[in-house]
């Protein structure tokens, strides 16, 4: 068990972290699924339809490092309470954008909500990894928490597709209002539950450390998380991974909604199924990750995902398959299967990148979260590629990103800086 975490029952703190994982995916995927509405109501291009997602994730780049500092100085409980408060405000602004009929207000709301998602990620990932004791057990808790993340990710696009109905041309932000009200209610409930829960603070700044910092007498540490090669490369891996995870379903949603014989309701259901398969994959990952190394897991699913995306690109659109009683392009079956691969990538990358960091973990988590902005940047790039060469060919962007993850699993994740003291 990591230093600072005693051998006791942390079932309630773990449950709270799992619930926060749910909210991260629900709000994030809600922004991604809004692309169809944004295209209709505000006349956005494929690239601009991803602007809400981009704003949501750019907030990570702005808030990642500051949130890591907040976590170190104020602790997990304060940071999580602040995060759910900011999340409530962000979703509230998006809710008001429907009545204001303003694209700028919607993007602002997505940006504010992104601050919340960043702060929540700052809390839940190192907390679960610590409560699990790091190593394979830490990865196991991250995978199980990721299953809750996938539940939120599954519900958001299905709910939004149901609210929009069958005609993308009539979609408006106002139709999504019930989903936003639900999100705000969950944030309010989460605030109450967290406020009443005792959460351990293994990485919080100690009183003597605070006194040294305020007096200016604290000796500057010559090292930091960026001193570790495997962490630096892992942060880049997370940039590409989140872009992969978000880009695959977001562009598929636009592609299928654009097909008259599919439509947004069916597209939303299929995208929700992608996140459902992520949940299934994380449940399996949680069951086996205590026995299988993160390196083996990441390399295996990266290879499989590359194969699935190549099938998505190369299979002709004229080949159809019936899914849930609806005819869809056969290639979309491989979009769904990618959910099984992306399901375990986050936990594996975080576990590999954070291994051996010790006291540098809170600062590393902040940097890690800043690089989550890839979840907005890569889909935006893919959306721009879709404007130029079409939806299907834009998936070559995903293939290239998956290639980097394979490199990280096989080569970049090895800790070559074991001589740096981390106590």
């Amino acid at each position: 068990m990591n230093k600072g975490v005693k051998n006791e029952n942390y079932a309630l703190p773990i449950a709270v972290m799992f619930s926060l994982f749910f909210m991260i995916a629900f709000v994030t995927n809600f922004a991604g699924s809004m692309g169809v509405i944004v295209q209709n109501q505000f006349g956005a291009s494929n690239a601009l339809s991803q602007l809400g997602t981009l704003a949501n994730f750019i907030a990570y780049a702005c808030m990642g490092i500051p949130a890591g500092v907040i976590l170190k100085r104020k602790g997990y409980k304060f940071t999580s309470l602040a995060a759910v408060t900011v999340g409530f405000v962000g979703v509230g602004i998006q809710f008001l954008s429907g009545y204001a009929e303003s694209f700028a207000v919607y993007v602002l709301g997505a940006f504010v909500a992104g601050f919340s998602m960043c702060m929540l990620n700052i809390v839940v990932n190192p907390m679960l990894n610590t409560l699990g004791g790091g190593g394979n057990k830490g990865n196991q808790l991250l995978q199980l928490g990721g299953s809750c993340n996938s539940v939120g990710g599954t519900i958001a696009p299905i709910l939004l597709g149901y609210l929009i109905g069958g005609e993308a041309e009539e979609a408006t932000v106002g139709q999504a209002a019930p989903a936003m009200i639900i999100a705000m209610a969950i944030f309010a409930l989460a605030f109450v539950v967290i406020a009443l829960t005792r959460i351990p603070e293994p990485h919080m700044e100690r009183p003597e450390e605070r006194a040294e910092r305020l007096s200016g007498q604290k000796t500057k540490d010559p090292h930091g998380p960026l001193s570790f090669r495997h962490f630096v490369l892992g942060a880049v891996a997370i940039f590409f991974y989140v872009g992969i995870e978000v880009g695959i379903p977001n562009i598929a949603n636009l592609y299928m909604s654009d097909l008259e014989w599919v439509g947004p309701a069916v597209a939303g259901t299929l995208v929700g199924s992608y996140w459902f398969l992520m949940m299934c994959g994380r449940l399996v990952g949680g069951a086996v990750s205590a026995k299988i190394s993160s390196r083996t897991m990441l390399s295996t699913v990266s290879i499989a995902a590359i194969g699935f995306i190549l099938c998505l690109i190369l299979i002709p659109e004229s080949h159809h398959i019936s899914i849930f009683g609806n005819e869809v392009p056969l290639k979309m079956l491989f979009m769904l299967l990618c959910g099984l691969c992306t399901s375990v990538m986050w936990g594996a990358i975080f576990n590999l990148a954070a291994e051996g960091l010790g006291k540098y973990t809170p600062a590393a988590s902040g940097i890690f979260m800043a690089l989550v902005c890839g979840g907005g940047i890569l889909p935006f790039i893919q959306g721009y590629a879709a404007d130029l060469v079409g939806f299907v060919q834009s998936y070559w962007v995903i293939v290239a990103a998956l290639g980097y993850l394979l490199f990280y699993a096989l080569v970049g994740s090895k800790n070559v800086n074991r001589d740096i003291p981390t106590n």
Side-chain angles (χ1 to χ4, degrees), residues 5 63 106 113 197 205 215 229 231 328 358 393 422:
V5 179
M63 193 62 188
Y106 162 72
T197 302
E205 183 179 55
S215 66
R229 190 197 72 167
F231 169 75
V328 298
Q393 295 303 313
T422 59

Side-chain angles (χ1 to χ4, degrees), residues 344-362:
V344 298
M345 288 178 174
W346 173 276
I349 295 171
F350 187 91
N351 183 258
L352 288 170
E355 192 68 25
L357 295 185
K359 65 180 180 180
Y360 302 114
T361 299

Side-chain angles (χ1 to χ4, degrees), residues 146-172:
S147 299
C148 299
N149 184 271
S150 296
V151 172
T154 299
I155 293 173
I158 293 177
L159 177 60
L160 196 60
Y162 173 79
L163 293 172
I164 294 173
E167 298 296 332
E169 293 78 9
E170 300 175 3
T172 63

Side-chain angles (χ1 to χ4, degrees), residues 241-254:
Y241 161 67
V242 184
I244 291 166
E245 178 194 87
V246 175
I248 289 174
N250 277 17
I251 300 303
N253 191 31
L254 293 176

Side-chain angles (χ1 to χ4, degrees), residues 104-284:
V105 173
Y106 162 72
V107 173
L108 174 63
F111 183 68
V112 174
F115 279 108
S116 172
M117 300 308 101
C118 176
M119 295 172 73
L120 289 178
N121 265 308
I122 287 285
V123 171
V124 299
N125 288 282
M127 186 78 261
L128 284 179
N129 197 46
T130 297
L131 293 175
N136 287 356
K137 288 292 185 180
N139 185 29
Q140 185 176 39
L141 267 188
L142 285 170
Q143 300 299 349
L144 292 173
S147 299
C148 299
N149 184 271
S150 296
V151 172
T154 299
I155 293 173
I158 293 177
L159 177 60
L160 196 60
Y162 173 79
L163 293 172
I164 294 173
E167 298 296 332
E169 293 78 9
E170 300 175 3
T172 63
V173 175
Q175 289 176 306
M180 288 184 272
I181 292 173
I182 291 172
M184 288 188 287
I186 295 175
F187 273 129
L189 178 62
F191 185 95
V192 174
V193 173
I194 294 168
L196 298 175
T197 302
R198 190 186 75 81
I199 297 176
E201 302 285 358
H203 297 126
M204 189 174 177
E205 183 179 55
R206 296 189 298 272
E208 59 271 22
E209 291 177 325
R210 182 174 184 274
E212 289 179 1
R213 175 173 56 82
L214 293 178
S215 66
Q217 297 177 352
K218 187 174 183 179
T219 304
K220 183 175 178 60
D221 194 332
H223 300 292
L226 295 180
S227 301
F228 296 83
R229 190 197 72 167
H230 74 287
F231 169 75
V232 173
L233 296 179
V236 175
I238 220 64
F239 176 92
F240 284 120
Y241 161 67
V242 184
I244 291 166
E245 178 194 87
V246 175
I248 289 174
N250 277 17
I251 300 303
N253 191 31
L254 293 176
Y255 166 62
M256 290 186 289
S257 295
D258 193 55
L259 299 174
E260 293 183 0
W261 47 283
V262 178
V266 175
T269 300
L270 289 177
V271 169
S273 299
Y274 164 90
W275 295 102
F276 176 77
L277 287 184
M278 280 191 68
M279 179 189 71
C280 295
R282 281 168 171 166
L283 288 172
V284 173

